[in-house]
């Protein structure tokens, strides 16, 4: 099986849309298109035709490009069954335990409620990659708009059970803000201090800082390192107020 080609497309102020191509089948999938045009252009530049969109949750900065991309390409849109009413462009509804595929690359769907009530993630186990939308960020986690700290704690524990090498494709460049906050709640963590310095340098040079990895998050992410839902909730409330 040839490796998936995964392209990061920065859009809006800090969103990342992920363009995923399987050369064996010719399939090209887009995770969470906030907008259509830059994604269509990125695909066209490579000679790829978009066959699929996979949404992680209903927020407009993850679904805003659905309709225009479907009109332009006839692609199939897959997303969370629990948010069907809020994503009227969905063709295929999935939920935790389902599998979806891009060619021979199989992703399992995880239910990761908390940021939104029906939020899902897509885990390509054989490819060592997971698309998490707004559930986990580099050194951060999503806000608890429609769920609880208990749910987000369960999500972090499940993500933390993956191999260190697993690449985590999140939907925003929040890394610098998250790192600056993380050092305030975990001031003695040397790996975190080193990562903050590296991220400051990368951002100053205009570089992206994602995807991240489960290993890096296990070492530095205060939400993944929280040992209880209560602790995660306390840290989340501090971050919301920061
Ligand atoms: Fe969101
Ligand atoms: Zn978002």
């Amino acid at each position: 099986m040839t490796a998936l080609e995964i392209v990061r497309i920065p859009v809006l102020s800090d969103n990342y849309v992920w363009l995923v191509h399987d050369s064996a089948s010719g399939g090209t999938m887009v995770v969470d298109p906030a907008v259509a045009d830059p994604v269509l252009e990125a695909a066209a530049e490579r000679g790829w035709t978009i066959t699929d969109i996979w949404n992680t949750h209903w927020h407009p900065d993850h679904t805003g490009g659905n309709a225009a991309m479907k009109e332009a390409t006839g692609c199939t849109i897959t997303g969370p069954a629990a948010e069907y009413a809020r994503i009227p462009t969905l063709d295929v509804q999935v939920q935790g335990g389902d599998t979806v595929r891009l060619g021979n690359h199989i992703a399992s769907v995880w239910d990761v409620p908390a940021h939104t009530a029906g939020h899902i993630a897509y885990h390509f186990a054989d490819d060592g990659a997971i698309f998490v939308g707004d559930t986990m960020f580099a050194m951060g986690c999503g806000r608890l708009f429609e769920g609880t700290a208990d749910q987000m704690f369960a999500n972090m524990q499940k993500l933390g059970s993956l191999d260190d090498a697993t690449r985590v494709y999140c939907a925003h460049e929040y890394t610098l803000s998250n790192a600056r906050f993380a050092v305030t709640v975990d001031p003695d963590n040397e790996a975190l201090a080193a990562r903050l310095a590296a991220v400051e340098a990368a951002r100053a040079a205009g570089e992206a800082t994602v995807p991240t990895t489960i290993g890096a998050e296990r070492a530095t992410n205060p939400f993944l390192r929280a040992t209880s839902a209560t602790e995660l909730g306390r840290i989340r409330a501090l971050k919301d107020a920061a």
Side-chain angles (χ1 to χ4, degrees), residues 27-202:
T28 302
M29 180 271 285
V30 179
V31 182
D32 284 353
V35 292
D37 286 348
V39 184
L40 291 167
E41 285 163 21
E45 277 169 20
R46 292 166 175 82
W48 301 346
T49 300
I50 292 165
T51 53
D52 294 271
I53 292 170
W54 294 359
N55 294 134
T56 64
H57 66 294
W58 67 267
H59 283 164
D61 63 314
H62 298 255
T63 56
N66 278 13
M69 291 180 56
K70 188 171 174 173
E71 182 162 342
T73 65
C75 65
T76 299
I77 306 180
T78 297
E83 299 185 353
Y84 175 71
R86 307 192 82 161
I87 315 177
T89 44
L90 277 194
D91 299 304
V92 179
Q93 302 177 41
V94 294
Q95 59 190 329
D98 289 342
T99 56
V100 284
R101 53 197 303 157
L102 182 66
N104 287 327
H105 296 264
I106 296 171
S108 58
V109 177
W110 291 17
D111 285 325
V112 285
H115 179 69
T116 64
H119 200 304
I120 58 175
Y122 299 94
H123 180 220
F124 285 97
D126 293 341
D127 297 277
I130 186 163
F131 293 87
V132 296
D134 286 355
T135 294
M136 173 182 277
F137 300 110
M139 292 169 278
C141 77
R143 285 180 181 249
L144 308 179
F145 287 125
E146 299 177 3
T148 65
D150 285 273
Q151 289 175 320
M152 189 58 91
F153 181 70
N155 296 340
M156 294 295 117
Q157 294 298 110
K158 191 169 180 195
L159 286 162
S161 73
L162 294 172
D163 291 346
D164 275 355
T166 303
R167 284 165 289 129
V168 180
Y169 294 86
C170 56
H172 291 272
E173 178 63 63
Y174 289 161
T175 311
L176 182 55
S177 158
N178 285 343
R180 286 177 172 158
F181 169 77
V183 295
T184 68
V185 294
D186 193 5
D188 299 326
N189 183 333
E190 289 177 18
L192 175 56
R195 193 175 182 193
L196 169 59
V199 165
E200 284 178 328

